[in-house]
Amino acid sequence: MGHQGHAAHHAKVKVDHHAKLAEAMKQRLKVEELEENIDELEDVVEDVFPILMFTVIISTLILIVFLIRMYIKYSVNNPSKNKIDGKTVLITGGTSGLGKATALELAKRNARVLITGREKVIVEAVARNIRKKTGNQHVNALHLDLGNLRNIREFAEDFNRNEKSLHVLINNAAYMGPKSATDDGLERAFAVNYLGHFYLTHLLTEKMKKNAPSRIINVVSDAYVKGNLDFDDLALNKGYDVFGAYARSKYAQMIFNLECHRRLFAHCVWSFAVHPGACNTELLRNYPGLMGNVLRVFSRVMFKPPEDGCQTIVYCAVADKLRDASGKIFANCKVIKTNDRVKDRNVGIQLWSTSAQLCGFECDVPCEDEEVAVNKTEEATTEDKKEQ
Ligand SMILES: NC(=O)c1ccc[n+]([C@@H]2O[C@H](COP(=O)([O-])OP(=O)(O)OC[C@H]3O[C@@H](n4cnc5c(N)ncnc54)[C@H](OP(=O)(O)O)[C@@H]3O)[C@@H](O)[C@H]2O)c1
């Protein structure tokens, strides 16, 4: 190769080298562009990701709440469409929540409905409203404070004097809140939820026997399984917590329900306990502190409306063929298992006599031997058939 050949070769190599360099530059620019794009994309993802996650979490929560509400709402299916024309029903605590919803439903089923409340004006307004809504003119308001034993006695005297009949007694009113004492100096949850109803039932028993077959419905709560009864500390001086006091009162009501069955079944007065389930009512209005606020918001969003919650109470008031379920507890219109602690007869007798003492009367309702009660029931069966 001559001098010229070398020069040409050298020039070609240089051109190739420049071309490669240009190509490499191009590639590098592309990579840089790509990297920039990726950076931009990362920025966008960084900005959008929390919003995306937030949306997904909120949507999932809404879906869960919706499904739970659907489940709770439709879990109560009242199979009885019975109307109870001419039957008299007395409901304690009829001014709000489940008592009010039960009164409305029973008024629609043609019952004669008597509701009680502590504030005359409020309970009368509720009764008027139910009369207007249902067209049933036999809905009336009565004044009753279950935290006052004298008031209960006077109420029952008036009732027995003025009312011809009583077919269904619904012990529904309740208190849940900070520690406080009633006019009689008793712990409020125990006094209102249990003892007041014990005394009222005792004073109305003769009327219910005369109207047999009749029914006592004790509105309890599954919280009863957490309740403890220390007869040496009924005032809860050893320690008080809102839920514990409420659970104890419901436990006492459950024992009372079974004791009523043992003592009154033979007279064709049947006793049913009802757990209505978690309902959006005013029950938590006195629950103190932050916990109270959280529970109230939670109950507004998650719990079933009282119109659903009252269905099992209504079922026990109107359904046929419930005689054999006397003494038992219902939820969602079906019998559920009773906790064994409720069944101890000695505790039942002790609670009954302690309660009678607190109310100031002799334990005059006989503690009937169960066998005798069962035999008497055979005689009573004909009576029952009238209703079934
Ligand atoms: N809500 C639930 O999730 C739930 C769950 C299980 C069981 N329960 C049971 O359901 C029943 C009804 O409760 P609710 O949820 O409907 O509660 P609510 O809306 O608070 O109704 C309670 C009723 O009790 C009355 N009351 C309170 N203190 C009284 C007193 N000293 N004397 C007479 N009446 C009194 C209130 O009437 P005034 O204040 O107008 O007098 C009110 O009408 C209760 O036995 C409760 O234990 C409720």
Side-chain angles (χ1 to χ4, degrees):
M1 202 184 291
H3 178 68
Q4 270 184 344
H6 263 299
H9 176 71
H10 189 66
K12 191 173 177 298
V13 167
K14 222 174 167 181
V15 168
D16 282 354
H17 180 65
H18 279 144
K20 272 187 191 157
L21 264 179
E23 186 60 29
M25 289 280 281
K26 253 196 209 164
Q27 294 290 342
R28 197 188 160 82
L29 277 174
K30 268 192 191 165
V31 168
E32 273 174 10
E33 210 177 301
L34 211 66
E35 276 173 0
E36 256 175 45
N37 285 345
I38 287 171
D39 281 351
E40 267 175 36
L41 204 70
E42 272 175 4
D43 286 349
V44 171
V45 167
E46 236 170 69
D47 287 348
V48 169
F49 189 71
I51 300 172
L52 205 74
M53 278 308 284
F54 183 73
T55 316
V56 169
I57 289 170
I58 291 294
S59 317
T60 314
L61 280 178
I62 290 173
L63 185 71
I64 291 171
V65 167
F66 177 74
L67 289 175
I68 292 177
R69 286 203 59 139
M70 286 275 288
Y71 171 74
I72 292 174
K73 185 169 169 61
Y74 296 112
S75 61
V76 188
N77 173 29
N78 184 349
S80 176
K81 304 292 170 235
N82 283 355
K83 300 216 169 195
I84 49 168
D85 299 58
K87 294 262 157 94
T88 302
V89 182
L90 175 63
I91 307 171
T92 66
T95 53
S96 72
L98 293 163
K100 188 168 152 185
T102 304
L104 179 69
E105 185 66 31
L106 290 174
K108 285 183 191 162
R109 292 171 184 249
N110 301 346
R112 184 160 175 274
V113 182
L114 304 170
I115 54 172
T116 78
R118 282 173 299 172
E119 292 290 334
K120 210 166 169 252
V121 185
I122 297 175
V123 71
E124 275 171 0
V126 173
R128 197 166 42 246
N129 197 20
I130 295 176
R131 284 197 296 270
K132 205 166 139 195
K133 269 192 184 157
T134 59
N136 181 341
Q137 294 310 308
H138 305 289
V139 178
N140 290 308
L142 300 170
H143 171 260
L144 172 64
D145 182 353
L146 285 156
N148 184 317
L149 293 169
R150 203 177 91 182
N151 184 252
I152 297 170
R153 192 168 56 249
E154 287 169 359
F155 170 90
E157 279 165 9
D158 276 358
F159 191 96
N160 285 327
R161 200 178 314 120
N162 301 327
E163 296 296 332
K164 262 208 328 255
S165 54
L166 178 59
H167 300 95
V168 184
L169 168 62
I170 304 181
N171 291 326
N172 165 77
Y175 167 81
M176 183 196 252
K179 187 172 185 186
S180 86
T182 61
D183 302 342
D184 305 300
L186 298 161
E187 188 279 306
R188 186 168 294 278
F190 182 79
V192 172
N193 307 2
Y194 161 66
L195 192 72
H197 286 129
F198 165 85
Y199 195 29
L200 181 69
T201 308
H202 163 74
L203 294 170
L204 300 180
T205 294
E206 283 311 311
K207 194 162 276 293
M208 298 202 76
K209 282 183 189 170
K210 281 192 193 123
N211 287 274
S214 51
R215 306 175 183 202
I216 299 166
I217 298 171
N218 291 299
V219 184
V220 296
S221 158
D222 62 357
Y224 84 86
V225 293
K226 301 260 187 273
N228 284 308
L229 202 48
D230 176 355
F231 287 98
D232 295 327
D233 185 28
L234 289 180
L236 291 180
N237 288 331
K238 287 184 192 158
Y240 184 94
D241 76 277
V242 175
F243 182 77
Y246 176 75
R248 175 179 78 155
S249 72
K250 295 288 146 184
Y251 176 43
Q253 256 189 307
M254 279 295 288
I255 297 169
F256 170 61
N257 185 65
L258 190 52
E259 230 9 70
C260 279
H261 163 70
R262 288 172 179 141
R263 292 166 191 242
L264 298 172
F265 183 69
H267 303 275
C268 265
V269 180
W270 308 330
S271 309
F272 307 111
V274 171
H275 166 55
C279 302
N280 177 11
T281 67
E282 297 302 317
L283 188 65
L284 297 165
R285 72 188 125 171
N286 295 313
Y287 208 109
L290 179 67
M291 186 59 155
N293 290 326
V294 172
L295 285 173
R296 280 186 286 277
V297 171
F298 192 73
S299 85
R300 296 280 170 264
V301 181
M302 299 294 283
F303 291 179
K304 64 187 158 197
E307 306 81 65
D308 281 344
C310 77
Q311 289 307 323
T312 307
I313 306 173
V314 172
Y315 177 77
C316 286
V318 305
D320 298 320
K321 301 191 166 65
L322 288 193
R323 193 184 66 123
D324 293 344
S326 177
K328 303 209 163 107
I329 174 168
F330 284 74
N332 294 330
C333 299
K334 290 195 181 87
V335 171
I336 58 169
K337 195 179 173 310
T338 298
N339 188 291
D340 285 342
R341 286 191 316 137
V342 170
K343 298 176 184 166
D344 185 332
R345 186 74 211 267
N346 292 329
V347 177
I349 290 170
Q350 191 178 2
L351 180 64
W352 197 280
S353 57
T354 304
S355 305
Q357 225 172 9
L358 287 169
C359 295
F361 68 89
E362 290 289 309
C363 194
D364 56 353
V365 179
C367 304
E368 294 206 2
D369 183 271
E370 279 166 71
E371 243 175 78
V372 177
V374 170
N375 290 338
K376 276 198 182 175
T377 306
E378 298 304 318
E379 299 161 24
T381 313
T382 343
E383 278 284 301
D384 297 9
K385 278 184 180 155
K386 275 189 214 160
E387 196 187 60
Q388 291 181 10

